Amino acid sequence: MSSPIIPDDELHVTYILASGPGGQNVNKVATAAQLRFDARNSPTLSGRVKHRLIEVAGSRMTADGVIVLTARRFRSQIRNREDAVARLQDMIAQASTVQAYRVPTRPSRTQRKKRMDNKQHRSRIKQGRSGRYPE
């Protein structure tokens, strides 16, 4: 299943001052992009994807169901916005993949016997190392 494409009108991007290197420009220009996406009220996502997105987003999701991503890797607003949108798309793609159902299995009788035989063999080797038998 492919991840749904989120329309731009559901994304709210604001620009904030970025920390780190950049000279005096870092104090004047708001280049870091803060993306907000209301996942809980999004008509684009299905209920199953919304539920999984809560687990995938973790602490990046607020109590109101809004995912907040801050991108400050680049020195331009446009590239930081693209980075934030790409990170959101990755999260949604991860949430929309169907988890494989694991069927619990048990070791077979042969495997259990082989394991016990190996344990007894190791035990005999270690008993042979003890000082019970004088040379």
Side-chain angles (χ1 to χ4, degrees):
M1 176 180 180
S2 64
S3 68
I5 304 298
I6 305 299
D8 282 343
D9 61 332
E10 289 188 44
L11 304 177
H12 303 287
V13 181
T14 55
Y15 297 99
I16 56 177
L17 291 176
S19 62
Q24 292 184 4
N25 198 42
V26 77
N27 300 322
K28 295 186 293 186
V29 182
T31 57
Q34 189 174 60
L35 180 130
R36 293 178 165 272
F37 172 64
D38 190 1
R40 185 172 292 157
N41 299 320
S42 173
T44 309
L45 302 178
S46 67
R48 186 185 63 78
V49 173
K50 287 179 188 179
H51 186 71
R52 281 266 302 135
L53 198 56
I54 293 170
E55 297 171 15
V56 172
S59 63
R60 292 171 292 213
M61 182 178 277
T62 64
D64 301 332
V66 177
I67 296 175
V68 180
L69 297 173
T70 304
R72 56 172 59 114
R73 193 176 354 176
F74 302 104
R75 293 175 103 174
S76 71
Q77 285 183 347
I78 296 167
R79 293 202 47 206
N80 281 327
R81 183 187 192 285
E82 291 169 354
D83 182 41
V85 171
R87 284 171 39 202
L88 178 67
Q89 283 290 351
D90 288 345
M91 285 174 56
I92 293 171
Q94 187 178 354
S96 62
T97 57
V98 179
Q99 294 273 315
Y101 179 72
R102 184 190 175 276
V103 178
T105 59
R106 299 181 75 177
S108 67
R109 180 181 297 156
T110 309
Q111 288 173 329
R112 288 195 304 262
K113 172 137 179 49
K114 190 185 277 188
R115 179 176 163 268
M116 294 308 293
D117 290 345
N118 190 35
K119 284 170 75 76
Q120 286 177 354
H121 178 71
R122 291 272 140 219
S123 175
R124 286 192 200 105
I125 288 172
K126 291 181 180 187
Q127 281 177 357
R129 291 182 194 149
S130 70
R132 285 197 293 174
Y133 303 105
E135 293 184 23

